[in-house]
Amino acid sequence: MSPRSETTSAAPHQRTTAHAADGLPAGAAERITEVFSAHVRESSGGLAFSLYREGRPLLRLTGGVTERDGEEPWNEDTMAVLFSGTKGVVATLAAQLTDRGLLDPQVPVAEYWPEFAAAGKADVRVHHVLSHTLGLLYADPEPAAVEERVDNARMAEILAAQAPLWEPGTKVAYHATTYGYLLAEILLRITGKGVGELVRTELSEPWGLDLHLGLPESEEPRVAPIHQAPGYRVQTFLRDDPERRAVVDRMYGALLTGDEPLYNSRLWHAAELASGGAVGTADAMAKLYSLLIAPEAPLVSAETLALYTRTWSEGTDAVNDRPLRFGLGYELDDPIGTYGPVRPAFGHTGAGGGLHGAWPERGLAFSLLTNEMQSEDVDTRAKDLLGAVADLDI
């Protein structure tokens, strides 16, 4: 892939670089780059957008800077925390185990993890965990030390002893952090391997993905620190409900707040947080989803992918009032157009604006990665880019 176009300006935060494949229709790269560059110019940080088909890149865009109002340009080697984009990576691991006959979404969790049967959970199924209908939204008691919150084994132990907030399967609500602790333990019980090792051996190394869950310290210089745009808020669909807002606060704790947020720490990057701790590039995530939908199905069989991307839960989030639709671990296209105007679509978003996924019937996979977190109700970056892609004959 050679550069089709490159745009530079005197200010580092306004620079955009584009690498386009020769097979793109005339004007397609320019139109998408125009939309991307407009957002770069409005940002105090950096952005990357990658578009793939059948495991090969069509367009790679990078722009802006790696630190708030900094000088270092964001380039194709720049990585950032994926936040909940991690959930789609872990869903892919689960799908691979299903393909191999090792994980059945219909089976009780306790068949893989006997201690989980405590507090009336003996009949809770794996699909309740994957589809966010379980009702274990936070750990109780909440760990006192930050080190416990990044310890998968400790958090799994706490959650195994808890009773759900509702009968599993009767409500849907996003399990922002507990999804990862629960899936990490289930995968460990089945394979004997930590979730970070599985990401490395099943995805990153075999397929050349610049993607890490448990980042080596040597890679830290490549990670763009995350910052929040002024007025950033979590869960903007929920309004004027102190009781449910308190639940949200318990779900996230201090993970997305504070003067020195945990997500920029070595502690976070090194931990294998399967809900939001993966670090990687936009290119790696676009390639991952492209491999998932490729005709030869190199990652997961078409049958298993269909199982994981059919609707398993949908409705209004019981806590956050946001419209939701989930497969098994993957988000699906929803009524508010999170994945643009094309359906079907699946993937997973990340806090602050990241989005990674695919339009299987168009054969396209995409990833938007950023280090400037914007509130969902004002952020149009992903929707604008996906709208531009959808309007073109690609």
Side-chain angles (χ1 to χ4, degrees), residues 51-54 58 286 289-290 293 357-366 389-390 392 394:
L51 185 67
Y52 263 68
R53 170 173 281 142
E54 295 185 8
L58 293 177
Y289 280 98
S290 185
I293 64 170
W359 296 334
E361 293 184 2
R362 295 276 292 265
L364 294 175
F366 42 80
V389 173
L392 298 169
I394 297 177

Side-chain angles (χ1 to χ4, degrees), residues 39 229-231 233 236 374-381:
H39 283 292
R233 291 154 294 132
T236 57
Q374 295 185 12
S375 302
E376 185 177 15
D377 59 344
V378 299
D379 186 6
T380 67
R381 292 170 295 183

Side-chain angles (χ1 to χ4, degrees), residues 106 305-313 325-328 330 332:
Q106 299 284 6
L305 186 62
L307 175 70
Y308 271 67
T309 58
R310 74 168 174 83
T311 302
W312 284 79
S313 64
R325 196 159 76 91
F326 284 108
L328 294 177
Y330 299 114
L332 307 180

Side-chain angles (χ1 to χ4, degrees), residues 140-188:
D140 187 17
E142 184 175 350
V146 168
E147 288 76 12
E148 285 187 278
R149 297 203 67 159
V150 299
D151 183 336
N152 283 331
R154 174 58 183 146
M155 296 301 289
E157 180 183 23
I158 295 172
L159 291 166
Q162 278 181 241
L165 296 174
W166 59 74
E167 181 183 349
T170 61
K171 297 181 182 180
V172 58
Y174 185 52
H175 289 52
T177 60
T178 55
Y179 167 101
Y181 303 132
L182 296 165
L183 261 295
E185 187 67 19
I186 291 169
L187 298 181
L188 176 65

Side-chain angles (χ1 to χ4, degrees), residues 127-385:
H127 68 78
H128 292 135
V129 178
L130 285 162
S131 65
H132 297 264
T133 59
L134 171 58
L136 286 180
L137 297 178
Y138 49 78
D140 187 17
E142 184 175 350
V146 168
E147 288 76 12
E148 285 187 278
R149 297 203 67 159
V150 299
D151 183 336
N152 283 331
R154 174 58 183 146
M155 296 301 289
E157 180 183 23
I158 295 172
L159 291 166
Q162 278 181 241
L165 296 174
W166 59 74
E167 181 183 349
T170 61
K171 297 181 182 180
V172 58
Y174 185 52
H175 289 52
T177 60
T178 55
Y179 167 101
Y181 303 132
L182 296 165
L183 261 295
E185 187 67 19
I186 291 169
L187 298 181
L188 176 65
R189 296 296 178 116
I190 293 171
T191 67
K193 298 178 180 179
V195 65
E197 182 181 355
L198 290 172
V199 170
R200 177 174 58 81
T201 59
E202 299 292 337
L203 299 175
S204 300
E205 290 181 350
W207 301 102
L209 305 179
D210 200 353
L211 175 64
H212 311 269
L213 187 55
L215 183 74
E217 189 166 10
S218 60
E219 300 297 316
E220 283 287 346
R222 298 173 53 209
V223 181
I226 306 291
H227 64 272
Q228 297 178 357
Y232 176 75
R233 291 154 294 132
V234 178
Q235 301 298 351
T236 57
F237 282 78
L238 173 60
R239 303 183 187 278
D240 302 324
D241 190 328
E243 184 175 340
R244 286 190 291 160
R245 180 58 65 178
V247 174
V248 171
D249 291 342
R250 291 199 68 177
M251 288 167 61
Y252 288 96
L255 297 181
L256 297 180
T257 59
D259 294 333
E260 296 183 5
L262 188 59
Y263 49 71
N264 283 331
S265 70
R266 176 62 193 153
L267 179 67
W268 182 282
H269 297 168
E272 298 179 5
L273 294 172
S275 269
V279 178
T281 63
D283 199 66
M285 292 300 288
K287 184 176 180 180
L288 172 68
Y289 280 98
S290 185
L291 291 169
L292 274 170
I293 64 170
E296 66 273 21
L299 287 184
V300 175
S301 70
E303 180 182 14
T304 297
L305 186 62
L307 175 70
Y308 271 67
T309 58
R310 74 168 174 83
T311 302
W312 284 79
S313 64
E314 63 182 325
T316 301
D317 190 303
V319 173
N320 297 316
D321 287 339
R322 188 189 190 278
L324 299 175
R325 196 159 76 91
F326 284 108
L328 294 177
Y330 299 114
E331 293 176 333
L332 307 180
D333 52 82
D334 57 34
I336 59 174
T338 300
Y339 288 85
V342 176
R343 296 184 178 186
F346 74 96
H348 217 290
T349 54
L355 182 143
H356 325 278
W359 296 334
E361 293 184 2
R362 295 276 292 265
L364 294 175
F366 42 80
S367 172
L368 174 66
L369 188 63
T370 179
N371 66 337
E372 182 184 63
M373 301 177 74
Q374 295 185 12
S375 302
E376 185 177 15
D377 59 344
V378 299
D379 186 6
T380 67
R381 292 170 295 183
K383 289 183 180 180
D384 291 348
L385 282 162

